[in-house]
Amino acid sequence: MAIPTVESTTSNLTANGIAASVSKTANTLLKELPIRNGTAKFMPDTITNGASKPISNGTPVTLPELDASLLTTTLTPNPRSVPAPGSPEEASQKVCTDHMIQARWTATSGWNAPSLQPYGPLSLMPTASVLHYATECFEGMKLYRGYDGKLRLFRPQLNCNRMLVSTNRIALPAFPPAELLKLIVKLCATDGPKWLPKDRPGSFLYIRPTMIASDSALGVQRPKEALLFVIMACFPPMDGSATPGGMKLLASRDDMIRAWPGGFGYAKVGANYGPSLVAQGEARAQGFDQILWLFGDHCSVTEAGASNFFVVWKTKEGKTQLVTAPLGERIILDGVTRRSVLELSRTRLEKRCGELAPIEVVERKFDMFEIEEAVREGRMIESFAAGTAFFIAPVGLINFRGKELKIPMSEGDAGAYTKVIKNWLKNIMWGKEQHEWGYVIEESE
Ligand SMILES: *Cc1c(COP(=O)(O)O)cnc(C)c1O
């Protein structure tokens, strides 16, 4: 079977890329859902019209889309206190802010009006689809309290677009990504001012948009009910939590594969993570920080834990390159951080930058044998993992089949390229550099 390929980073999460991906799948599904005996059948829709359309006597009836302007607000009567910096509550990653967003969808009524309501437990039937068939997907973003006092998101449109790619892969309903963004912004504007006080610049909250199939029919089928929710959790600050000596990665064994062509590695679906925890637990027990996921007989390097993976090396011809795995086979996630690293490196590092020699930015398949050879020949310059949760994390060591490959860190705690890239991103996220990627949340007072 031919493996569908997708264009590379620059277009994949853009509106056109998304629309193409959604309508491609919608068309496939349409063929699987013929109209029989005049009974209503449901089909997913394209990006511009998120709700499903039931067909009645051959005439499509448009169901309500997800619509942020219909949001109802119920503020909590019991506001909680914000964990003190460095406290055990903050470290627990269990404390969420006062409110959450919820929106329900059903195949017969489309999207109901979303609500902003007090944070609290969900009610689900034990037969709910998500509990049995992993009909779930999520996003991970951060709300940053800037050094200029402003609250910011970082390229949130890309997360909302990617959420649609994920729902589409896991038979959850479509929605207009711009409406999801409006709901996220509303939650940030409601809880951000209190939970990220202005006197704590450099702090952040972790935002988790999630969609689950709440359908209570136990049959294995496309869910007819879904719940979208958005919560915000307190996390300890990132700096200081960096691993001294850099992250230690354990290359995955041949009998544990995270994702494969034709699978769903490109989607942020819960089904990718549960089965990876055995390997991750073993890695932790052996003193490693993350698994470096390999794929195929050639031990292609894909991702490190839930982060994209980069190396900077010199080629045998003496060129300095920043290399990361390509998106084409759809086995890795199109990370917002990955994309930002590539874009910044292409605009700022392909020509000389201070002390740093110009680099060539390359997305291609590369494997452990190339890394091993580069280390052996002294051509490895540095390596890092990139993702929202752990941000830019320098890599100090890779264990491959029992062999320890030491990765240089020219600046002591990171490589020189890693350090500038990390600083550029930090400056944009926390408002030290005014940049179009910073999305300011307006606060009322
Ligand atoms: C979330 C995630 C990433 C990082 O994506 P960002 O958008 O940069 O946070 C990378 N790989 C996997 C498998 C992930 O789940």
Side-chain angles (χ1 to χ4, degrees), residues 138-140 159 162 258 265 268 273 303-308 332-338 386-389:
F138 63 96
E139 270 305 320
N159 294 92
R162 189 171 65 192
R258 190 195 96 95
K268 224 168 166 73
Y273 301 86
E303 298 190 75
S307 303
N308 295 109
I332 68 161
L333 199 84
D334 184 352
V336 176
T337 321
R338 172 189 184 277
T388 301

Side-chain angles (χ1 to χ4, degrees), residues 147 202 204 236-242 390-392 422-423 426 430:
Y147 289 95
F204 66 88
M238 302 183 291
D239 275 355
S241 62
F390 297 105
F391 194 34
I392 303 288
K422 184 172 179 173
N423 275 328
K426 248 178 165 167
W430 277 289

Side-chain angles (χ1 to χ4, degrees), residues 397-415:
L397 182 136
I398 304 171
N399 181 304
F400 176 51
R401 297 179 170 169
K403 214 191 254 171
E404 307 249 289
L405 307 175
K406 213 170 146 21
I407 311 294
M409 296 205 288
S410 61
E411 306 279 300
D413 54 350

Side-chain angles (χ1 to χ4, degrees), residues 129 133 135 171 213 215-224:
S129 171
Y133 310 124
T135 39
D215 201 323
S216 57
L218 207 42
V220 183
Q221 58 173 336
R222 237 188 123 81
K224 294 193 173 65

